[in-house]
Amino acid sequence: MRLIVTYLIGVIFGTGIAVAGMANPAKVLNFFDITGTWDPSLAFVMGGALAVTFVGYRLVLPKGVPLFDSTFTLPTSRVIDARLIGGAAIFGIGWGITGFCPGGALPALGTLLPEVWTFIAAMALGMVATSFVTEKKKKA
């Protein structure tokens, strides 16, 4: 049941991303082009996501446990360190250069465009490299 619910949530998310146009890198890049063809719609998508998250957390967290797990898995660290800042910077730079973020690129895989598959491959490679470096540091 958990797998089915996870799949359905992914379908809903991907559909929302596609309907909002966030799988289109040109739309995202136009958001960053404040002196040219600026498109503020990304801000509305982000605002809507924040509103849903805000309400969702207020409704769900007081229940104590999720429906399909024994505990909620939430971030516990509040440390702002070089790893967090570096990761955010790399994410932002990649998003600004390509117009893709993981949330928009995954639904765009269905377009079969080579640039989407290249982005996903580069993202996967970055994740593997980060995991490798992190493990090396733990052993050192």
Side-chain angles (χ1 to χ4, degrees), residues 64-100:
V65 294
L67 289 175
F68 300 105
D69 208 344
S70 57
T71 61
F72 286 110
T73 306
L74 299 171
T76 55
S77 176
R78 295 184 178 267
V79 176
I80 299 175
D81 57 5
R83 185 172 177 215
L84 175 66
I85 293 169
I90 291 169
F91 176 90
I93 290 167
W95 194 21
I97 290 172
T98 66
F100 287 116

Side-chain angles (χ1 to χ4, degrees), residues 25-42:
K27 188 165 189 69
V28 174
L29 291 173
N30 283 338
F31 173 75
F32 294 122
D33 187 6
I34 57 174
T35 61
T37 57
W38 186 61
D39 178 357
S41 60
L42 177 58

Side-chain angles (χ1 to χ4, degrees), residues 95-112:
W95 194 21
I97 290 172
T98 66
F100 287 116
C101 76
L106 291 176
L109 281 171
T111 65
L112 303 178

